[in-house]
Amino acid sequence: DGKLHAALTDAFNKMYPDIKVEQVILSTGPITEKTIAERENPQADAIYGVNSFALDQLKNAGVLEPYAPKGSKIPAQFMDSDGFFTHHWLTLMVMAVNTKLMDEKGKQVPSSWQELASPAYKDMITIAAPTKSGTGLTIFTTLKDAYGWEYIDKLDKNIFQYNSSGSAAGRQAGAGETAIGLTYDTAVINQVNAGLPVKLAFFDMTPNVKEGGALVLGAPNPENGKKWLDFMASPAGAAAYAPFVGAATTPGYGKIDLKDVSLWEYKAPVDTAAFKREWGKKYEK
């Protein structure tokens, strides 16, 4: 989101007007590969806005330097245990419920993932396919980790449509095309803010993507990189990015209070390529 990056730069430059911020904005895969490719001659001072999978990959590739941001109020659970990176915000996977449609069908809002797989919700659910969307991949790898393939078999019977866009299920719920859309937090918040008959609901556990940043090992301007990471982990940084995210790790910022959320932590490492192959073989027609 270009507006997010611009808001962060503007807020940072109010604190440090003499530091020129140059950003390379790419998707997670390319920016991770670029940082690793530049290992022998680093071009960046810090990397941010990348997910946990990428941060672990960067850490394992030896391109990060441990750094603990100064003055941060972010809880330890959102810091790398070895001190290599800090998570700044989370994208939460939630349910968009069209309350008008549910009332017409005489259905209750499901309160758990197990309930969502009940035959009572046959053909009432839309979600992005994990082979085509990071949102779908996060939801389905979490479900596999938590409940196994047997559960996903049951859920599949209730899917009205698999989408290629992570936000589509939220829009479909808002338009009344589906009763339940499984999507990410801000996709639902947008429908609620538009005055549509949509409710944002959490389950008993919440698939999520944590996104954060780190100092690049051998950075050309390490002190400036540290200042950027201090800012990102501060209330001033959180105030700048809060309008663009669902949940901030700095307490008191973001649209969703993490105190109300039971975040899922993967029990086993995820091989995303293998998972997509297996899921595609089972469920793609």
Side-chain angles (χ1 to χ4, degrees), residues 162-186:
Y162 287 112
N163 299 316
S164 57
S165 159
S167 61
R171 293 192 298 274
Q172 286 176 303
E177 295 169 16
T178 188
I180 298 170
L182 302 178
T183 182
Y184 58 88
D185 45 25
T186 53

Side-chain angles (χ1 to χ4, degrees), residues 182-227:
L182 302 178
T183 182
Y184 58 88
D185 45 25
T186 53
V188 186
I189 290 167
N190 290 340
Q191 302 302 307
V192 174
N193 289 345
L196 297 167
V198 171
K199 174 182 177 181
L200 185 154
F202 293 101
F203 291 112
D204 46 341
M205 68 87 176
T206 303
N208 61 90
V209 177
K210 300 178 183 71
E211 301 198 33
L215 188 67
V216 174
L217 181 65
N221 307 287
E223 292 312 309
N224 288 349
K226 290 174 183 177
K227 285 186 174 73

Side-chain angles (χ1 to χ4, degrees), residues 99-270:
T99 51
K100 185 180 174 196
L101 269 181
M102 293 292 275
D103 288 345
E104 287 173 2
K105 293 175 182 292
K107 304 287 185 184
Q108 297 293 316
V109 176
S111 59
S112 70
W113 286 101
Q114 284 88 344
E115 197 178 339
L116 196 67
S118 159
Y121 299 103
K122 184 172 176 58
D123 294 333
M124 290 177 62
I125 302 165
T126 58
I127 184 173
T131 50
K132 296 176 180 159
S133 156
T135 298
L137 184 62
T138 298
I139 294 173
F140 277 107
T141 53
T142 299
L143 295 177
K144 162 64 169 57
D145 191 56
Y147 308 122
W149 286 113
E150 187 180 347
Y151 167 83
I152 299 177
D153 285 342
K154 291 178 185 172
L155 181 65
D156 175 68
K157 293 178 173 60
N158 291 347
I159 302 300
F160 170 68
Q161 187 177 68
Y162 287 112
N163 299 316
S164 57
S165 159
S167 61
R171 293 192 298 274
Q172 286 176 303
E177 295 169 16
T178 188
I180 298 170
L182 302 178
T183 182
Y184 58 88
D185 45 25
T186 53
V188 186
I189 290 167
N190 290 340
Q191 302 302 307
V192 174
N193 289 345
L196 297 167
V198 171
K199 174 182 177 181
L200 185 154
F202 293 101
F203 291 112
D204 46 341
M205 68 87 176
T206 303
N208 61 90
V209 177
K210 300 178 183 71
E211 301 198 33
L215 188 67
V216 174
L217 181 65
N221 307 287
E223 292 312 309
N224 288 349
K226 290 174 183 177
K227 285 186 174 73
W228 178 265
L229 293 171
D230 289 348
F231 160 73
M232 288 294 297
S234 72
Y241 65 67
F244 304 94
V245 304
T249 56
T250 296
Y253 293 88
K255 301 178 182 72
I256 296 170
D257 191 335
L258 288 172
K259 290 202 299 289
D260 302 329
V261 182
S262 177
L263 298 172
W264 182 259
E265 299 288 345
Y266 286 98
K267 294 183 290 188
V270 179

Side-chain angles (χ1 to χ4, degrees), residues 4-5 24-33 35 46-59 64 84-91 209-216 229 232:
L4 162 66
H5 301 297
V24 175
I25 302 171
L26 297 170
S27 296
T28 298
I31 204 72
T32 303
E33 290 160 12
T35 307
I47 187 166
Y48 76 99
V50 293
N51 63 40
S52 300
F53 295 125
L55 289 166
D56 279 329
Q57 186 181 349
L58 291 162
K59 174 183 170 181
L64 303 182
F84 280 90
F85 52 81
T86 301
H87 293 115
H88 302 125
W89 62 78
L90 291 84
T91 301
V209 177
K210 300 178 183 71
E211 301 198 33
L215 188 67
V216 174
L229 293 171
M232 288 294 297

